[in-house]
Amino acid sequence: GPSNPDFTASINFYTIHYNFHHIVGTSGGNSEDMQEALNLMAKGMDPAPLITHIGGLDAVIPATLNLPFLSGGKKLIYTQLSLPLTALDEFEEEGKTNTLFFELHRIIAASCNLWCPEAEDYLLSNGKKIR
């Protein structure tokens, strides 16, 4: 990141919205890391196996505080939903008492136990929305 703590920039949110501009940020790395990731995806690398957990906005703080102690890979957060951070390999057990996870388990089981567009569509349609 920048070395000067006073470094700032203005952003015109009007033009972002009405002229369809995009803002992109990263959580770390450098431009070479991002280029490598984009090149791998362009060559067909599927990032789905990297996702090991899903959660809602209410999972952000506990996940962040416990990140060093959580196993697995990427934690995918859906900021419009209320959902505890749950590992994909816990869906079957959670599904015994929770119909959302029962159906999510059924969907990912048909997708080699990987997070997939069908599971995301189901979650977004049936997950508990934050009001």
Short mmCIF file of all heavy atoms in Angstrom, two decimals, residues 58-119:
data_model
loop_
_atom_site.label_atom_id
_atom_site.label_comp_id
_atom_site.label_asym_id
_atom_site.label_seq_id
_atom_site.Cartn_x
_atom_site.Cartn_y
_atom_site.Cartn_z
N ASP A 58 -23.32 -11.32 9.26
CA ASP A 58 -23.10 -11.51 10.69
C ASP A 58 -21.95 -12.48 11.00
O ASP A 58 -21.54 -12.61 12.15
CB ASP A 58 -24.39 -11.96 11.38
CG ASP A 58 -25.13 -13.05 10.64
OD1 ASP A 58 -24.78 -13.38 9.49
OD2 ASP A 58 -26.10 -13.58 11.20
N ALA A 59 -21.39 -13.12 9.98
CA ALA A 59 -20.25 -14.02 10.18
C ALA A 59 -18.91 -13.31 10.02
O ALA A 59 -17.87 -13.88 10.34
CB ALA A 59 -20.33 -15.19 9.19
N VAL A 60 -18.94 -12.07 9.54
CA VAL A 60 -17.69 -11.37 9.22
C VAL A 60 -16.81 -11.17 10.45
O VAL A 60 -15.62 -11.51 10.45
CB VAL A 60 -17.97 -10.02 8.53
CG1 VAL A 60 -16.69 -9.19 8.40
CG2 VAL A 60 -18.59 -10.25 7.17
N ILE A 61 -17.36 -10.62 11.53
CA ILE A 61 -16.54 -10.31 12.70
C ILE A 61 -15.97 -11.57 13.34
O ILE A 61 -14.76 -11.67 13.53
CB ILE A 61 -17.31 -9.44 13.71
CG1 ILE A 61 -17.54 -8.05 13.11
CG2 ILE A 61 -16.56 -9.33 15.04
CD1 ILE A 61 -18.43 -7.14 13.92
N PRO A 62 -16.81 -12.60 13.64
CA PRO A 62 -16.22 -13.79 14.23
C PRO A 62 -15.23 -14.49 13.28
O PRO A 62 -14.20 -15.01 13.74
CB PRO A 62 -17.40 -14.70 14.56
CG PRO A 62 -18.62 -14.05 14.00
CD PRO A 62 -18.26 -12.66 13.61
N ALA A 63 -15.51 -14.48 11.99
CA ALA A 63 -14.58 -15.11 11.04
C ALA A 63 -13.26 -14.37 11.01
O ALA A 63 -12.19 -14.99 11.02
CB ALA A 63 -15.19 -15.17 9.65
N THR A 64 -13.31 -13.05 11.00
CA THR A 64 -12.09 -12.25 10.96
C THR A 64 -11.27 -12.44 12.23
O THR A 64 -10.06 -12.64 12.18
CB THR A 64 -12.43 -10.76 10.77
OG1 THR A 64 -13.18 -10.61 9.56
CG2 THR A 64 -11.18 -9.92 10.68
N LEU A 65 -11.94 -12.42 13.38
CA LEU A 65 -11.22 -12.59 14.64
C LEU A 65 -10.62 -13.98 14.78
O LEU A 65 -9.58 -14.15 15.43
CB LEU A 65 -12.17 -12.31 15.82
CG LEU A 65 -12.62 -10.86 15.97
CD1 LEU A 65 -13.67 -10.75 17.07
CD2 LEU A 65 -11.45 -9.94 16.23
N ASN A 66 -11.26 -14.98 14.19
CA ASN A 66 -10.80 -16.36 14.33
C ASN A 66 -10.09 -16.91 13.10
O ASN A 66 -9.78 -18.10 13.07
CB ASN A 66 -11.98 -17.26 14.69
CG ASN A 66 -12.50 -16.95 16.08
OD1 ASN A 66 -11.78 -17.08 17.06
ND2 ASN A 66 -13.74 -16.50 16.15
N LEU A 67 -9.83 -16.08 12.13
CA LEU A 67 -9.25 -16.54 10.88
C LEU A 67 -7.99 -17.40 11.06
O LEU A 67 -7.85 -18.43 10.41
CB LEU A 67 -8.97 -15.36 9.94
CG LEU A 67 -8.77 -15.69 8.48
CD1 LEU A 67 -9.94 -16.48 7.91
CD2 LEU A 67 -8.58 -14.41 7.68
N PRO A 68 -7.08 -17.01 11.96
CA PRO A 68 -5.88 -17.86 12.12
C PRO A 68 -6.20 -19.28 12.61
O PRO A 68 -5.39 -20.18 12.44
CB PRO A 68 -5.05 -17.11 13.17
CG PRO A 68 -5.55 -15.72 13.16
CD PRO A 68 -7.00 -15.81 12.79
N PHE A 69 -7.36 -19.47 13.20
CA PHE A 69 -7.71 -20.76 13.78
C PHE A 69 -8.68 -21.56 12.91
O PHE A 69 -9.01 -22.70 13.24
CB PHE A 69 -8.32 -20.56 15.17
CG PHE A 69 -7.49 -19.64 16.03
CD1 PHE A 69 -7.92 -18.35 16.30
CD2 PHE A 69 -6.26 -20.05 16.53
CE1 PHE A 69 -7.15 -17.49 17.06
CE2 PHE A 69 -5.49 -19.19 17.30
CZ PHE A 69 -5.93 -17.91 17.57
N LEU A 70 -9.17 -20.95 11.82
CA LEU A 70 -10.12 -21.63 10.95
C LEU A 70 -9.38 -22.42 9.88
O LEU A 70 -8.46 -21.90 9.25
CB LEU A 70 -11.06 -20.62 10.29
CG LEU A 70 -11.98 -19.85 11.22
CD1 LEU A 70 -12.73 -18.76 10.44
CD2 LEU A 70 -12.97 -20.80 11.88
N SER A 71 -9.81 -23.64 9.67
CA SER A 71 -9.18 -24.46 8.65
C SER A 71 -9.74 -24.10 7.28
O SER A 71 -10.69 -23.34 7.15
CB SER A 71 -9.44 -25.94 8.95
OG SER A 71 -10.84 -26.19 8.88
N GLY A 72 -9.17 -24.68 6.26
CA GLY A 72 -9.70 -24.55 4.92
C GLY A 72 -9.16 -23.35 4.18
O GLY A 72 -8.16 -22.75 4.57
N GLY A 73 -9.86 -23.03 3.10
CA GLY A 73 -9.43 -21.97 2.20
C GLY A 73 -10.24 -20.72 2.36
O GLY A 73 -10.41 -20.19 3.47
N LYS A 74 -10.81 -20.26 1.27
CA LYS A 74 -11.52 -18.98 1.22
C LYS A 74 -12.87 -19.06 1.92
O LYS A 74 -13.59 -20.03 1.82
CB LYS A 74 -11.73 -18.54 -0.23
CG LYS A 74 -10.45 -18.37 -1.02
CD LYS A 74 -9.65 -17.21 -0.49
CE LYS A 74 -8.39 -17.02 -1.32
NZ LYS A 74 -7.53 -15.98 -0.78
N LYS A 75 -13.18 -17.98 2.62
CA LYS A 75 -14.47 -17.84 3.29
C LYS A 75 -15.28 -16.84 2.47
O LYS A 75 -14.91 -15.67 2.38
CB LYS A 75 -14.31 -17.32 4.72
CG LYS A 75 -13.83 -18.33 5.74
CD LYS A 75 -12.52 -18.95 5.42
CE LYS A 75 -12.01 -19.86 6.53
NZ LYS A 75 -10.86 -20.61 6.10
N LEU A 76 -16.36 -17.29 1.85
CA LEU A 76 -17.17 -16.46 0.97
C LEU A 76 -18.32 -15.87 1.78
O LEU A 76 -19.11 -16.61 2.37
CB LEU A 76 -17.71 -17.30 -0.19
CG LEU A 76 -18.57 -16.60 -1.22
CD1 LEU A 76 -17.85 -15.43 -1.87
CD2 LEU A 76 -19.01 -17.60 -2.29
N ILE A 77 -18.38 -14.54 1.82
CA ILE A 77 -19.38 -13.85 2.63
C ILE A 77 -20.42 -13.21 1.72
O ILE A 77 -20.09 -12.49 0.77
CB ILE A 77 -18.71 -12.77 3.51
CG1 ILE A 77 -17.69 -13.38 4.46
CG2 ILE A 77 -19.76 -11.95 4.26
CD1 ILE A 77 -18.26 -14.33 5.49
N TYR A 78 -21.68 -13.45 2.06
CA TYR A 78 -22.81 -12.83 1.36
C TYR A 78 -23.34 -11.73 2.27
O TYR A 78 -24.02 -12.00 3.25
CB TYR A 78 -23.88 -13.89 1.04
CG TYR A 78 -23.41 -14.85 -0.01
CD1 TYR A 78 -22.76 -16.03 0.34
CD2 TYR A 78 -23.58 -14.55 -1.36
CE1 TYR A 78 -22.30 -16.89 -0.64
CE2 TYR A 78 -23.12 -15.42 -2.34
CZ TYR A 78 -22.48 -16.58 -1.97
OH TYR A 78 -22.01 -17.44 -2.95
N THR A 79 -23.00 -10.50 1.92
CA THR A 79 -23.30 -9.37 2.81
C THR A 79 -24.78 -9.05 2.92
O THR A 79 -25.17 -8.35 3.84
CB THR A 79 -22.54 -8.11 2.34
OG1 THR A 79 -22.90 -7.81 0.99
CG2 THR A 79 -21.04 -8.32 2.43
N GLN A 80 -25.60 -9.57 2.04
CA GLN A 80 -27.03 -9.31 2.10
C GLN A 80 -27.79 -10.37 2.90
O GLN A 80 -29.00 -10.28 3.05
CB GLN A 80 -27.62 -9.19 0.68
CG GLN A 80 -27.60 -10.47 -0.12
CD GLN A 80 -26.31 -10.73 -0.88
OE1 GLN A 80 -25.24 -10.69 -0.31
NE2 GLN A 80 -26.43 -11.03 -2.16
N LEU A 81 -27.06 -11.36 3.44
CA LEU A 81 -27.69 -12.46 4.16
C LEU A 81 -27.22 -12.53 5.60
O LEU A 81 -26.12 -12.09 5.94
CB LEU A 81 -27.38 -13.79 3.48
CG LEU A 81 -27.86 -13.96 2.05
CD1 LEU A 81 -27.41 -15.31 1.50
CD2 LEU A 81 -29.36 -13.81 1.94
N SER A 82 -28.06 -13.14 6.44
CA SER A 82 -27.69 -13.50 7.80
C SER A 82 -27.45 -15.01 7.79
O SER A 82 -28.37 -15.78 7.52
CB SER A 82 -28.82 -13.14 8.76
OG SER A 82 -28.50 -13.61 10.06
N LEU A 83 -26.23 -15.42 8.05
CA LEU A 83 -25.87 -16.84 7.98
C LEU A 83 -24.57 -17.06 8.74
O LEU A 83 -23.60 -16.34 8.51
CB LEU A 83 -25.68 -17.23 6.50
CG LEU A 83 -25.40 -18.68 6.18
CD1 LEU A 83 -26.65 -19.53 6.38
CD2 LEU A 83 -24.92 -18.81 4.74
N PRO A 84 -24.54 -18.02 9.65
CA PRO A 84 -23.28 -18.28 10.34
C PRO A 84 -22.25 -18.84 9.36
O PRO A 84 -22.61 -19.47 8.36
CB PRO A 84 -23.66 -19.33 11.40
CG PRO A 84 -24.88 -19.98 10.86
CD PRO A 84 -25.60 -18.94 10.05
N LEU A 85 -20.99 -18.60 9.64
CA LEU A 85 -19.93 -19.16 8.82
C LEU A 85 -20.01 -20.67 8.92
O LEU A 85 -19.96 -21.24 10.01
CB LEU A 85 -18.56 -18.66 9.28
CG LEU A 85 -17.40 -19.02 8.36
CD1 LEU A 85 -17.52 -18.26 7.04
CD2 LEU A 85 -16.08 -18.71 9.04
N THR A 86 -20.14 -21.33 7.79
CA THR A 86 -20.33 -22.77 7.76
C THR A 86 -19.45 -23.38 6.69
O THR A 86 -19.45 -22.93 5.54
CB THR A 86 -21.81 -23.12 7.45
OG1 THR A 86 -22.65 -22.39 8.36
CG2 THR A 86 -22.06 -24.60 7.60
N ALA A 87 -18.69 -24.40 7.07
CA ALA A 87 -17.85 -25.12 6.11
C ALA A 87 -18.73 -25.96 5.19
O ALA A 87 -19.74 -26.52 5.62
CB ALA A 87 -16.86 -26.01 6.84
N LEU A 88 -18.34 -26.03 3.93
CA LEU A 88 -19.10 -26.83 2.98
C LEU A 88 -19.20 -28.28 3.43
O LEU A 88 -20.24 -28.92 3.23
CB LEU A 88 -18.47 -26.76 1.58
CG LEU A 88 -18.91 -25.61 0.69
CD1 LEU A 88 -18.62 -24.26 1.29
CD2 LEU A 88 -18.29 -25.72 -0.69
N ASP A 89 -18.16 -28.78 4.07
CA ASP A 89 -18.21 -30.19 4.52
C ASP A 89 -19.06 -30.38 5.78
O ASP A 89 -19.21 -31.50 6.26
CB ASP A 89 -16.81 -30.77 4.70
CG ASP A 89 -15.97 -30.07 5.75
OD1 ASP A 89 -16.49 -29.23 6.50
OD2 ASP A 89 -14.77 -30.39 5.82
N GLU A 90 -19.65 -29.29 6.30
CA GLU A 90 -20.60 -29.39 7.41
C GLU A 90 -22.06 -29.35 6.94
O GLU A 90 -22.97 -29.51 7.75
CB GLU A 90 -20.37 -28.24 8.40
CG GLU A 90 -19.02 -28.28 9.08
CD GLU A 90 -18.75 -27.03 9.93
OE1 GLU A 90 -19.55 -26.06 9.87
OE2 GLU A 90 -17.74 -27.02 10.63
N PHE A 91 -22.28 -29.13 5.65
CA PHE A 91 -23.65 -28.99 5.14
C PHE A 91 -24.50 -30.22 5.41
O PHE A 91 -25.67 -30.10 5.77
CB PHE A 91 -23.65 -28.72 3.63
CG PHE A 91 -23.26 -27.32 3.23
CD1 PHE A 91 -22.77 -26.39 4.15
CD2 PHE A 91 -23.38 -26.93 1.92
CE1 PHE A 91 -22.42 -25.12 3.76
CE2 PHE A 91 -23.04 -25.65 1.52
CZ PHE A 91 -22.56 -24.74 2.43
N GLU A 92 -23.94 -31.40 5.22
CA GLU A 92 -24.74 -32.62 5.41
C GLU A 92 -25.25 -32.72 6.84
O GLU A 92 -26.43 -32.96 7.07
CB GLU A 92 -23.93 -33.86 5.05
CG GLU A 92 -24.75 -35.13 5.11
CD GLU A 92 -23.99 -36.34 4.61
OE1 GLU A 92 -22.74 -36.32 4.54
OE2 GLU A 92 -24.66 -37.34 4.29
N GLU A 93 -24.36 -32.52 7.81
CA GLU A 93 -24.76 -32.59 9.22
C GLU A 93 -25.76 -31.47 9.56
O GLU A 93 -26.77 -31.72 10.22
CB GLU A 93 -23.53 -32.50 10.13
CG GLU A 93 -23.83 -32.68 11.58
CD GLU A 93 -24.39 -34.05 11.94
OE1 GLU A 93 -24.09 -35.05 11.26
OE2 GLU A 93 -25.16 -34.13 12.93
N GLU A 94 -25.47 -30.24 9.11
CA GLU A 94 -26.38 -29.12 9.36
C GLU A 94 -27.74 -29.35 8.70
O GLU A 94 -28.77 -28.92 9.21
CB GLU A 94 -25.78 -27.81 8.85
CG GLU A 94 -24.55 -27.35 9.61
CD GLU A 94 -24.85 -26.94 11.04
OE1 GLU A 94 -25.94 -26.40 11.30
OE2 GLU A 94 -24.00 -27.19 11.91
N GLY A 95 -27.73 -30.05 7.57
CA GLY A 95 -28.96 -30.32 6.84
C GLY A 95 -29.91 -31.26 7.54
O GLY A 95 -31.09 -31.34 7.17
N LYS A 96 -29.45 -31.94 8.56
CA LYS A 96 -30.33 -32.83 9.32
C LYS A 96 -31.38 -32.04 10.10
O LYS A 96 -32.44 -32.58 10.41
CB LYS A 96 -29.52 -33.71 10.27
CG LYS A 96 -28.65 -34.72 9.53
CD LYS A 96 -27.79 -35.53 10.48
CE LYS A 96 -26.93 -36.52 9.71
NZ LYS A 96 -26.03 -37.26 10.59
N THR A 97 -31.07 -30.78 10.41
CA THR A 97 -32.02 -29.96 11.18
C THR A 97 -32.35 -28.64 10.49
O THR A 97 -33.14 -27.86 11.00
CB THR A 97 -31.46 -29.65 12.58
OG1 THR A 97 -30.20 -28.98 12.43
CG2 THR A 97 -31.27 -30.92 13.39
N ASN A 98 -31.74 -28.38 9.33
CA ASN A 98 -31.91 -27.10 8.66
C ASN A 98 -32.13 -27.35 7.17
O ASN A 98 -31.23 -27.82 6.48
CB ASN A 98 -30.66 -26.24 8.89
CG ASN A 98 -30.76 -24.86 8.30
OD1 ASN A 98 -31.19 -24.67 7.18
ND2 ASN A 98 -30.31 -23.88 9.07
N THR A 99 -33.33 -27.03 6.68
CA THR A 99 -33.66 -27.33 5.29
C THR A 99 -32.79 -26.56 4.29
O THR A 99 -32.53 -27.06 3.19
CB THR A 99 -35.15 -27.04 5.00
OG1 THR A 99 -35.43 -25.69 5.33
CG2 THR A 99 -36.05 -27.96 5.78
N LEU A 100 -32.33 -25.35 4.65
CA LEU A 100 -31.45 -24.61 3.76
C LEU A 100 -30.18 -25.41 3.49
O LEU A 100 -29.78 -25.60 2.34
CB LEU A 100 -31.10 -23.24 4.36
CG LEU A 100 -30.15 -22.39 3.53
CD1 LEU A 100 -30.89 -21.80 2.32
CD2 LEU A 100 -29.56 -21.27 4.36
N PHE A 101 -29.56 -25.91 4.56
CA PHE A 101 -28.33 -26.67 4.39
C PHE A 101 -28.58 -28.05 3.78
O PHE A 101 -27.73 -28.59 3.08
CB PHE A 101 -27.57 -26.78 5.71
CG PHE A 101 -26.88 -25.50 6.08
CD1 PHE A 101 -27.33 -24.74 7.14
CD2 PHE A 101 -25.79 -25.04 5.36
CE1 PHE A 101 -26.70 -23.55 7.48
CE2 PHE A 101 -25.16 -23.86 5.68
CZ PHE A 101 -25.62 -23.10 6.75
N PHE A 102 -29.75 -28.62 4.03
CA PHE A 102 -30.11 -29.89 3.40
C PHE A 102 -30.07 -29.73 1.88
O PHE A 102 -29.45 -30.53 1.16
CB PHE A 102 -31.50 -30.36 3.85
CG PHE A 102 -31.94 -31.62 3.18
CD1 PHE A 102 -31.56 -32.85 3.69
CD2 PHE A 102 -32.73 -31.57 2.04
CE1 PHE A 102 -31.96 -34.03 3.06
CE2 PHE A 102 -33.13 -32.74 1.40
CZ PHE A 102 -32.74 -33.97 1.91
N GLU A 103 -30.71 -28.67 1.39
CA GLU A 103 -30.76 -28.45 -0.06
C GLU A 103 -29.39 -28.03 -0.60
O GLU A 103 -28.98 -28.47 -1.68
CB GLU A 103 -31.81 -27.39 -0.39
CG GLU A 103 -32.08 -27.23 -1.86
CD GLU A 103 -32.61 -28.48 -2.54
OE1 GLU A 103 -33.19 -29.36 -1.86
OE2 GLU A 103 -32.45 -28.59 -3.78
N LEU A 104 -28.66 -27.19 0.14
CA LEU A 104 -27.31 -26.81 -0.30
C LEU A 104 -26.40 -28.02 -0.41
O LEU A 104 -25.61 -28.15 -1.35
CB LEU A 104 -26.72 -25.75 0.63
CG LEU A 104 -27.31 -24.35 0.52
CD1 LEU A 104 -26.77 -23.45 1.62
CD2 LEU A 104 -27.05 -23.75 -0.86
N HIS A 105 -26.52 -28.94 0.55
CA HIS A 105 -25.72 -30.16 0.49
C HIS A 105 -26.08 -30.98 -0.75
O HIS A 105 -25.20 -31.48 -1.45
CB HIS A 105 -25.90 -31.01 1.74
CG HIS A 105 -25.24 -32.35 1.62
ND1 HIS A 105 -23.87 -32.50 1.56
CD2 HIS A 105 -25.76 -33.59 1.51
CE1 HIS A 105 -23.58 -33.78 1.42
NE2 HIS A 105 -24.71 -34.45 1.38
N ARG A 106 -27.37 -31.10 -1.03
CA ARG A 106 -27.81 -31.86 -2.20
C ARG A 106 -27.22 -31.24 -3.48
O ARG A 106 -26.73 -31.95 -4.36
CB ARG A 106 -29.33 -31.88 -2.28
CG ARG A 106 -29.89 -32.77 -3.37
CD ARG A 106 -31.37 -32.55 -3.59
NE ARG A 106 -31.68 -31.23 -4.10
CZ ARG A 106 -31.44 -30.82 -5.37
NH1 ARG A 106 -30.88 -31.62 -6.22
NH2 ARG A 106 -31.78 -29.60 -5.74
N ILE A 107 -27.23 -29.92 -3.55
CA ILE A 107 -26.74 -29.23 -4.75
C ILE A 107 -25.24 -29.41 -4.91
O ILE A 107 -24.76 -29.75 -6.00
CB ILE A 107 -27.12 -27.73 -4.71
CG1 ILE A 107 -28.63 -27.57 -4.80
CG2 ILE A 107 -26.42 -26.97 -5.84
CD1 ILE A 107 -29.13 -26.17 -4.48
N ILE A 108 -24.48 -29.17 -3.84
CA ILE A 108 -23.02 -29.27 -4.00
C ILE A 108 -22.56 -30.72 -4.16
O ILE A 108 -21.54 -30.97 -4.78
CB ILE A 108 -22.23 -28.54 -2.90
CG1 ILE A 108 -22.38 -29.22 -1.55
CG2 ILE A 108 -22.59 -27.07 -2.84
CD1 ILE A 108 -21.38 -28.74 -0.51
N ALA A 109 -23.33 -31.66 -3.63
CA ALA A 109 -22.98 -33.08 -3.81
C ALA A 109 -22.98 -33.44 -5.29
O ALA A 109 -22.17 -34.26 -5.73
CB ALA A 109 -23.94 -33.97 -3.04
N ALA A 110 -23.86 -32.82 -6.05
CA ALA A 110 -23.92 -33.06 -7.50
C ALA A 110 -22.83 -32.28 -8.24
O ALA A 110 -22.68 -32.43 -9.45
CB ALA A 110 -25.30 -32.68 -8.03
N SER A 111 -22.08 -31.46 -7.51
CA SER A 111 -21.03 -30.63 -8.11
C SER A 111 -19.68 -30.94 -7.47
O SER A 111 -18.89 -30.03 -7.20
CB SER A 111 -21.40 -29.15 -7.91
OG SER A 111 -20.48 -28.32 -8.55
N CYS A 112 -19.45 -32.23 -7.20
CA CYS A 112 -18.18 -32.68 -6.60
C CYS A 112 -17.90 -32.01 -5.26
O CYS A 112 -16.76 -31.76 -4.90
CB CYS A 112 -17.01 -32.47 -7.55
SG CYS A 112 -17.16 -33.35 -9.10
N ASN A 113 -18.95 -31.67 -4.52
CA ASN A 113 -18.86 -31.01 -3.22
C ASN A 113 -18.15 -29.66 -3.29
O ASN A 113 -17.49 -29.24 -2.34
CB ASN A 113 -18.22 -31.92 -2.17
CG ASN A 113 -19.14 -33.06 -1.83
OD1 ASN A 113 -20.33 -32.85 -1.59
ND2 ASN A 113 -18.62 -34.27 -1.83
N LEU A 114 -18.33 -28.98 -4.43
CA LEU A 114 -17.76 -27.65 -4.61
C LEU A 114 -18.87 -26.61 -4.64
O LEU A 114 -19.98 -26.89 -5.10
CB LEU A 114 -16.98 -27.57 -5.93
CG LEU A 114 -15.78 -28.49 -6.06
CD1 LEU A 114 -15.18 -28.37 -7.46
CD2 LEU A 114 -14.74 -28.19 -5.00
N TRP A 115 -18.56 -25.43 -4.16
CA TRP A 115 -19.51 -24.33 -4.27
C TRP A 115 -19.71 -24.05 -5.75
O TRP A 115 -18.76 -24.11 -6.54
CB TRP A 115 -18.96 -23.10 -3.54
CG TRP A 115 -20.00 -22.05 -3.34
CD1 TRP A 115 -19.99 -20.79 -3.85
CD2 TRP A 115 -21.20 -22.16 -2.57
NE1 TRP A 115 -21.11 -20.11 -3.45
CE2 TRP A 115 -21.88 -20.93 -2.66
CE3 TRP A 115 -21.77 -23.17 -1.82
CZ2 TRP A 115 -23.09 -20.68 -2.04
CZ3 TRP A 115 -22.99 -22.94 -1.19
CH2 TRP A 115 -23.63 -21.70 -1.31
N CYS A 116 -20.93 -23.79 -6.15
CA CYS A 116 -21.24 -23.67 -7.58
C CYS A 116 -22.35 -22.64 -7.79
O CYS A 116 -23.02 -22.23 -6.83
CB CYS A 116 -21.66 -25.03 -8.13
SG CYS A 116 -23.13 -25.72 -7.34
N PRO A 117 -22.55 -22.21 -9.02
CA PRO A 117 -23.60 -21.22 -9.30
C PRO A 117 -24.98 -21.67 -8.84
O PRO A 117 -25.76 -20.84 -8.35
CB PRO A 117 -23.55 -21.04 -10.81
CG PRO A 117 -22.14 -21.40 -11.18
CD PRO A 117 -21.76 -22.50 -10.22
N GLU A 118 -25.30 -22.94 -8.97
CA GLU A 118 -26.61 -23.42 -8.55
C GLU A 118 -26.80 -23.27 -7.04
O GLU A 118 -27.87 -22.87 -6.58
CB GLU A 118 -26.81 -24.88 -8.96
CG GLU A 118 -26.84 -25.11 -10.46
CD GLU A 118 -25.46 -25.14 -11.10
OE1 GLU A 118 -24.44 -25.25 -10.40
OE2 GLU A 118 -25.39 -25.01 -12.34
N ALA A 119 -25.76 -23.56 -6.28
CA ALA A 119 -25.83 -23.41 -4.82
C ALA A 119 -25.98 -21.94 -4.46
O ALA A 119 -26.77 -21.57 -3.59
CB ALA A 119 -24.60 -24.02 -4.16
#
